[in-house]
Structure formats: structure tokens, C-alpha cells
Amino acid sequence: MTNPQFESAAQALLAAWKSHGRIDAIPEDCRPRTRAEGYAVQSALLRASGETGFGWKIAATSTAGQQHIGVSGPLAGRLVASRRRASGDTVSLEGNTMRVAEAEFAFRIGRDLRADRSGRPLAVDEVMSAVQAMHLAIEVPNSRLADFATAGEAQLIAEFACACFVVLGDDVAADWRAIDLSRHAVTVRRNDAVVATGSGANVLGDPRIALTWLANELTSQGLFLAAGDVVITGTSVVPVPVSPGEVITCDFGVLGAVRVRFD
């Protein structure tokens, strides 16, 4: 694909991104076929949208998440500032066809994580040393593709990997670095009823491993995690169906909780 094709693909997605709408597919003559082409369109879509990126999401870090969007492995997508919300805020489900909430561990990056000159992958310890803070998050994903389950990874990457709203809690005050996140339990309540349980093990085995995957995925595409970026690492529970009028609370035990109301 050429740069004009990347821009054309971005324009095909742009109206759906802005309006919470959908298209059947990116037109055949500018449709990305590879992960690299998908990321190139993703970058073009961010530019075309005029949005300010504040970080990244990792989609499909659990078996359930992979089944939900019909892929065999993780994908990276951009998060934008206009769709960031604080814990306790209200999120609209208008135009949202996925209508699920996901409980996620999130990290804020304190310094740039660029590719090593030797070409070797970044290690977990290296990546975690660049983390400034942990947050708790609820992702409310949505796709610009009418049949996201069969669109394929290149198109999904192009449209921000189903990114939409992110509800982000404050910095975690507890000593989270001393906790085995792979074993850390997460409970999701809809109104007052428990509807899902899980743990960090559902996020590629450990949210820290997922963050390292993202750092290396981006450097392999000529991108990088920058200081100030927030990364939501993937759902630690099976995505929870939601409807207007409901309140979802994701309880991370000693780490705290994060909450969202839907309308």
C-alpha cells in the first residue's frame, strides 16, 4: 500500500469514528492486508480525526477477548483524550454495538521506551522500570466495522482495535509492585450483583507481560511507548454485557475500585 491508500482508508473510517457509526468494510482498493498496513492506517486515522492520543489499548489479551473479535492474538489500538472518563462518570451507549464493559489493569509510562539498537526485544523488567504509576480502568469498546468478528486483524488494527471510551481511576496508592498481578483477583458487579470474576492471569498470563508485548509490538512497527502514555492492558474478566441505566463496578481488592454508569 502507498501513503495515499493509507489516507483513503482513514477517510473511509473517519465519519464512523466521529459519529459512533459503522461501515461494512474498508474499501477493497485501500483495505489493509497486513498488521503493518493496519498500523499505518491507524496512524493516518488519528491524524485525520484531529484527536489527541493519550495512550494505547491492547485488545484480545485473553482467550475470551480473542474469540469476541475473531482473532488469534493481541492487537494494539490508540486511545484518545476526548473519550477518556474518570471513575464515577457516565458513558453513553448510543451507537455502541458491542455493549460490554471490561475490567483492566492500566499503566502510565514515565519515560520513552524505544527500540534497542541491538534489535533485541525489551524485557519485562526493562519495561516495568519505565512505568510511573498504575491505574484501574474500565474499557467500553466499540467497532467501526459492522461485522468486527470477521473483519480480520489488519482492519481491526486500522480502526483503533475497537477502542472507544476508557474510564480511568486515579493512581493506585497501594504497593502494587509487590503484588503478583497474575494471581490478583478482580470482581465485577452490575448494580449490586456480582456478574464476573477473573484475575491478571487472563491478560496474557500477567498484565506486565501484556505491557511488554505492547512495547515490543510498537517498536517492531517503528512506533514506541512515550512518556505520559497510559496503557490499558486487556480485560481480566469475560466482557460483561451492559445496558443503559446500569452501574458497573470493577473491584480490584486492595488496589481499589473503578466505576461507571451507562445511559
Side-chain angles (χ1 to χ4, degrees):
M1 290 179 67
T2 62
N3 285 335
Q5 286 176 300
F6 298 144
E7 300 296 334
S8 294
Q11 288 299 319
L13 290 164
L14 184 59
W17 165 258
K18 289 185 173 181
S19 68
H20 300 277
R22 292 170 301 284
I23 62 172
D24 289 335
I26 297 172
E28 182 76 25
D29 62 356
C30 59
R31 186 179 304 164
R33 307 292 182 182
T34 66
R35 293 177 79 90
E37 290 176 350
Y39 285 118
V41 175
Q42 184 184 106
S43 295
L45 178 58
L46 182 65
R47 292 192 299 271
S49 71
E51 298 273 10
T52 300
F54 80 91
W56 298 84
K57 67 166 286 184
I58 313 174
T61 51
S62 68
T63 300
Q66 291 166 13
Q67 292 172 347
H68 190 58
I69 59 173
V71 298
S72 60
L75 313 172
R78 294 305 304 258
L79 304 178
V80 301
S82 70
R83 298 190 185 179
R84 176 175 173 169
R85 300 291 184 268
S87 181
D89 281 356
T90 297
V91 167
S92 172
L93 291 173
E94 184 176 1
N96 191 312
T97 57
M98 299 181 81
R99 293 202 169 200
V100 295
E102 301 178 349
E104 310 208 11
F105 295 88
F107 299 102
R108 188 171 75 248
I109 305 303
R111 59 176 171 80
D112 294 355
L113 275 168
R114 297 180 181 271
D116 188 280
R117 290 183 179 180
S118 70
R120 66 173 179 80
L122 294 162
V124 173
D125 288 348
E126 290 177 283
V127 173
M128 293 309 298
S129 71
V131 171
Q132 184 175 15
M134 172 188 273
H135 299 260
L136 308 176
I138 299 173
E139 184 185 10
V140 186
N142 194 26
S143 179
R144 273 52 66 182
L145 299 166
D147 190 359
F148 56 83
T150 62
E153 65 180 21
Q155 287 197 91
L156 288 170
I157 290 170
E159 60 99 36
F160 294 167
C162 301
C164 193
F165 289 106
V166 176
V167 180
L168 199 67
D170 294 333
D171 293 15
V172 171
D175 184 10
W176 59 268
R177 291 185 188 271
I179 294 173
D180 182 352
L181 298 180
S182 70
R183 296 176 179 269
H184 193 74
V186 181
T187 301
V188 179
R189 296 192 301 274
R190 181 191 294 117
N191 299 328
D192 294 323
V194 173
V195 291
T197 59
S199 72
N202 291 323
V203 187
L204 287 184
D206 189 311
R208 293 166 292 201
I209 293 174
L211 181 65
T212 304
W213 173 86
L214 177 64
N216 286 308
E217 174 80 348
L218 295 183
T219 58
S220 75
Q221 301 297 329
L223 304 167
F224 65 95
L225 284 174
D229 278 349
V230 172
V231 178
I232 57 172
T233 54
T235 186
S236 55
V237 299
V238 174
V240 174
V242 295
S243 298
E246 294 177 340
V247 175
I248 293 292
T249 303
C250 299
D251 188 343
F252 291 75
V254 298
L255 298 177
V258 62
R259 181 176 294 103
V260 64
R261 178 183 297 276
F262 292 100
D263 70 8

